[in-house]
Amino acid sequence: MDVSSSVFDRVIDRSEMSSDKWAKYPEQVIPMWVADMDFDAPECIKTALKERVEQGVFGYTHTPKALVLAIQNHLKSRYDWSVSGGDLVHLPGLVCALHLSVQIFSEKGDGIVVPGPVYYHLTKAPELAGRELHKVDMVLQNDRWLPDMQAFEAACAKQNSKMVLLCNPHNPGGTVFRRKELLAIHSIAEKYDLLVVSDEIHCDLILENLPHVPFASLNEDVAQRTITLMAPSKTFNIAGLGYAFAVIENAKLRQTFKQARAGLVASPNMLGLTAAISAYEDGQQWHQSLLEYLRQNRDYLAQRLANTPLKMSSLEGTYLAWIDASALSVEDPYEFFLNAGVGVSSGKDFGNASFVRLNFGCPKSVLEQALNRIEAALKNVV
Ligand SMILES: Cc1ncc(COP(=O)(O)O)c(C=O)c1O
């Protein structure tokens, strides 16, 4: 059954849902910050959740075999990646796995290489753990944000470097890394014998006709030095249900990770497990329609911004636009957007305060209203 775009057009009042996104700003501000969409979850997920809730008993729950199979099928059919069920580690979220990986696979004073600007937990994890952050600038190449590979090699070559944290597809740059770009990253990681933690949470939100290439799927050496982090939460808008997973093919790394998480990182939420099975087994139609809707929103946003001093580079994946506001004669672009009535994320959170990140995972009418506000405000500053 086709999912009509009207499903995504519907404006949903989230004010009574304890939504982080909608609680942050006063009522008159349109919130377009945290990576959470304003769409209903797919019907199949809602039905699966209702059925599970109807069972009425909510005791401790282990990961059902059906979920392991659903993930394996998903990884195989979408990325041609065969993963053994035993290599999966089920988690209540992805961020805890990022922090845990840094803490257990490096020591105080070790260097962690992170291409950025990037989702702030990739830099926060090394900082909070007392590691030395080796930031590598992402630069625009043919309108795509990519790591400066010379700087990347120089950072990896530093004596204390132990690990690389990657984000693919990239948040906030929107880059979907090509196989050859990942191979170039791998050859440097291999040369300096570094572990790689690859945050691939946005892997099913590719808006161009491009494949997602899981870093660990490149070859056997990569598989042995990589921890892959994925989740259905961004794609199916179910972040509040708390489910993510890691793929750790190296048995020693996996065992160390599992030992370290024991007693500290809880098992996933039972409803998260239920939703994840349904998402991967039955969510394809909804997913395809979502991508089409997001593509149209992205194109509409790009077309409206093209007539302004705000610059948006090509966005291959995610529903998060990384917007260069440096041409505006304003002190703080984030405040400028906020005063216009649009609550974006400040670029400062990711490493560049001249930018803002705008979440267009919302009904087109809401995006249109936000763009009208931004355009009106621009008339006063340029
Ligand atoms: C790149 C990236 N990783 C991780 C997360 C959050 O993951 P979780 O909610 O599973 O902890 C986000 C959320 O925006 C993200 O963009």
Side-chain angles (χ1 to χ4, degrees):
M1 191 183 66
D2 262 0
V3 179
S4 144
S5 68
S6 61
V7 162
F8 305 106
D9 280 332
R10 191 159 79 85
V11 177
I12 299 169
D13 179 1
R14 298 180 68 186
S15 58
E16 300 296 319
M17 296 186 190
S18 305
S19 152
D20 282 351
K21 187 179 186 181
W22 284 81
K24 177 164 177 170
Y25 296 110
E27 210 181 316
Q28 69 276 14
V29 173
I30 302 174
M32 306 186 101
W33 62 289
V34 65
D36 164 327
M37 301 185 286
D38 290 319
F39 305 133
D40 245 358
E43 277 310 314
C44 59
I45 292 185
K46 292 200 286 183
T47 305
L49 290 173
K50 278 181 211 153
E51 285 171 2
R52 182 62 189 90
V53 167
E54 272 307 307
Q55 290 179 337
V57 184
F58 309 118
Y60 295 117
T61 308
H62 61 266
T63 304
K65 279 207 184 77
L67 178 55
V68 173
L69 267 179
I71 292 173
Q72 286 176 301
N73 288 339
H74 181 77
L75 299 180
K76 182 67 189 163
S77 63
R78 288 192 67 86
Y79 326 124
D80 195 24
W81 189 25
S82 302
V83 166
S84 138
D87 294 347
L88 299 174
V89 182
H90 304 275
L91 298 158
L94 194 146
V95 164
C96 57
L98 267 175
H99 285 260
L100 191 65
S101 299
V102 168
Q103 292 187 16
I104 57 182
F105 296 122
S106 67
E107 288 171 12
K108 279 228 176 329
D110 281 348
I112 313 287
V113 179
V114 186
V118 70
Y119 176 63
Y120 59 91
H121 275 290
L122 274 81
T123 48
K124 213 167 159 186
E127 277 167 2
L128 285 179
R131 308 315 190 238
E132 197 184 333
L133 181 62
H134 297 322
K135 264 201 209 161
V136 174
D137 280 343
M138 303 273 287
V139 287
L140 263 187
Q141 292 172 38
N142 296 326
D143 211 34
R144 297 171 63 235
W145 290 103
L146 287 166
D148 171 338
M149 289 306 285
Q150 257 184 343
F152 181 73
E153 169 138 27
C156 290
K158 287 190 180 162
Q159 231 200 323
N160 68 349
S161 286
K162 282 280 151 41
M163 186 186 288
V164 177
L165 302 185
L166 262 193
C167 185
N168 176 34
H170 189 77
N171 170 14
T175 309
V176 173
F177 285 86
R178 310 293 196 266
R179 180 177 296 274
K180 70 172 189 318
E181 292 161 350
L182 295 172
L183 282 168
I185 290 172
H186 165 250
S187 73
I188 295 170
E190 185 183 28
K191 184 167 166 190
Y192 299 101
D193 197 19
L194 307 182
L195 198 74
V196 178
V197 178
S198 188
D199 176 340
E200 303 184 10
I201 198 169
H202 295 281
C203 59
D204 294 317
L205 289 164
I206 297 185
L207 306 179
E208 295 296 330
N209 187 19
L210 291 167
H212 171 69
V213 182
F215 188 67
S217 73
L218 288 173
N219 59 46
E220 191 45 33
D221 179 80
V222 196
Q224 290 303 312
R225 66 174 70 248
T226 301
I227 293 170
T228 307
L229 304 175
M230 289 180 166
S233 54
K234 296 289 157 200
T235 313
F236 296 94
N237 212 30
I238 50 175
L241 290 171
Y243 176 72
F245 63 93
V247 183
I248 313 179
E249 290 169 271
N250 179 315
K252 200 158 156 235
L253 293 180
R254 190 172 60 253
Q255 197 190 6
T256 308
F257 186 94
K258 282 181 158 180
Q259 264 168 8
R261 75 84 62 99
L264 282 178
V265 177
S267 303
N269 179 296
M270 173 209 81
L271 294 180
L273 299 170
T274 303
I277 297 172
S278 168
Y280 289 139
E281 281 185 352
D282 302 317
Q284 291 87 344
Q285 294 274 359
W286 184 93
H287 180 205
Q288 288 315 309
S289 304
L290 169 79
L291 292 179
E292 185 50 36
Y293 197 88
L294 292 177
R295 220 171 271 135
Q296 286 176 18
N297 271 4
R298 175 204 58 184
D299 293 346
Y300 178 65
L301 172 65
Q303 174 213 323
R304 291 278 300 261
L305 293 187
N307 307 318
T308 75
L310 299 168
K311 287 200 232 63
M312 179 180 144
S313 49
S314 88
L315 189 99
E316 299 168 335
T318 81
Y319 47 80
L320 308 161
W322 185 231
I323 296 171
D324 181 354
S326 56
L328 291 190
S329 48
V330 298
E331 203 166 297
D332 183 350
Y334 166 77
E335 288 293 332
F336 164 79
F337 275 75
L338 193 54
N339 291 334
V342 181
V344 291
S345 298
S346 170
K348 210 182 338 176
D349 299 343
F350 307 93
N352 190 338
S354 304
F355 283 68
V356 295
R357 192 192 73 174
L358 184 148
N359 175 344
F360 57 85
C362 62
K364 185 176 175 200
S365 60
V366 176
L367 179 60
E368 190 174 3
Q369 203 188 345
L371 285 163
N372 291 346
R373 290 182 184 188
I374 294 165
E375 251 176 30
L378 282 172
K379 292 206 172 93
N380 300 322
V381 292
V382 283

